[in-house]
């Protein structure tokens, strides 16, 4: 197993640690959980960079890296609902989009089609990660100047979640046309 794949597995291992810290009674739990989440998000960039530049791209990595990202983001969003930071409807939108696009990718793969990540999908991920980090850090430093940047980024991420999902479906409608229904 190469280093990029080990980093991907490490990111998955960080998820239950992140959740356990967030739900713990330790002082500043949300900030510590935020640091763990931030570190896990950074490992995504690191393993992707390693895989591309050091010729470490594997079938395992192609499958596990996006799965690790989804596990991390969905665990954070569900936990933020549990602690009352965000409404459940937002997480339902995210989960619906992720399952739909993952299903589309599986259908495409069964027909020999690869669906690459789109720029809209990448923007969605960036805004989700930033929103989660600010929510965990209680909107620091923007809380000092009364700008609800955490919720602004959260709403922007919802817009990109919906638009990117529609974009994936529209641009890959031939996958549905090839299906035997």
């Amino acid at each position: 197993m190469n280093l990029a794949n080990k980093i991907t597995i490490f990111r998955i291992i960080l998820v239950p640690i992140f959740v356990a810290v967030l739900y713990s009674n330790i002082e500043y739990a949300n900030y510590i959980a935020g640091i763990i989440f931030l570190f896990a998000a950074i490992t995504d960039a690191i393993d992707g960079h390693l895989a591309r530049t050091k010729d470490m791209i594997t079938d395992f990595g192609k499958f596990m890296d996006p799965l690790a990202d989804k596990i991390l983001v969905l665990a954070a969003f569900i936990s933020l609902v549990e602690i009352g930071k965000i409404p459940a409807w937002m997480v339902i939108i995210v989960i619906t989009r992720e399952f739909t696009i993952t299903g589309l990718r599986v259908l495409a793969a069964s027909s020999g089609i690869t669906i690459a990540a789109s720029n809209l999908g990448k923007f969605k991920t960036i805004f989700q990660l930033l929103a989660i980090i600010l929510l965990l850090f209680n909107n620091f430093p923007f809380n000092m100047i009364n700008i609800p940047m955490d919720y602004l980024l959260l709403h922007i991420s919802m817009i990109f979640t919906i638009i990117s999902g529609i974009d994936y479906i529209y641009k890959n409608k031939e996958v549905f046309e090839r299906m035997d229904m």
Side-chain angles (χ1 to χ4, degrees):
M1 179 172 296
N2 67 37
L3 181 58
N5 290 340
K6 288 178 182 175
I7 293 171
T8 297
I9 291 170
F10 179 66
R11 183 163 62 259
I12 294 171
I13 292 168
L14 286 175
V15 172
I17 297 168
F18 156 76
V19 172
V21 169
L22 185 61
Y23 289 145
S24 73
N25 290 326
I26 61 175
E27 192 172 8
Y28 304 113
N30 58 314
Y31 292 101
I32 297 167
I35 291 167
I36 294 167
F37 181 88
L38 179 60
F39 181 71
I42 290 169
T43 67
D44 180 35
I46 293 169
D47 66 17
H49 176 74
L50 279 174
R52 287 185 301 277
T53 62
K54 304 293 183 190
D55 195 30
M56 293 182 184
I57 296 173
T58 64
D59 288 338
F60 177 86
K62 287 179 193 176
F63 176 75
M64 288 304 294
D65 182 65
L67 183 61
D69 298 341
K70 288 173 186 21
I71 292 168
L72 177 66
V73 168
L74 292 176
F77 273 141
I78 292 167
S79 297
L80 289 166
V81 169
E82 176 73 18
I83 63 173
K85 290 260 188 183
I86 62 174
W89 67 264
M90 289 183 160
V91 179
I92 292 167
I93 289 172
V94 173
I95 291 170
T96 301
R97 186 255 187 223
E98 295 305 335
F99 277 122
T100 302
I101 302 310
T102 299
L104 178 64
R105 283 194 163 114
V106 169
L107 284 173
S110 70
S111 299
I113 300 169
T114 300
I115 299 176
S118 73
N119 285 335
L120 288 172
K122 291 176 184 176
F123 289 137
K124 176 232 10 148
T125 301
I126 290 167
F127 282 107
Q128 285 177 341
L129 296 174
L130 291 173
I132 290 166
I133 291 164
L134 285 176
L135 286 161
L136 291 167
F137 289 154
N138 295 325
N139 199 39
F140 180 82
F142 300 100
N143 60 350
M144 298 166 66
I145 53 175
N146 289 330
I147 298 176
M149 190 61 72
D150 51 356
Y151 289 103
L152 177 63
L153 293 177
L154 181 64
H155 284 85
I156 292 170
S157 80
M158 289 299 115
I159 292 167
F160 276 109
T161 297
I162 294 166
I163 291 173
S164 67
I166 292 168
D167 182 62
Y168 274 111
I169 292 168
Y170 178 76
K171 287 183 178 173
N172 296 285
K173 60 184 177 262
E174 75 275 2
V175 172
F176 297 107
E177 293 166 359
R178 290 181 176 205
M179 287 177 44
D180 182 25
M181 294 205 235

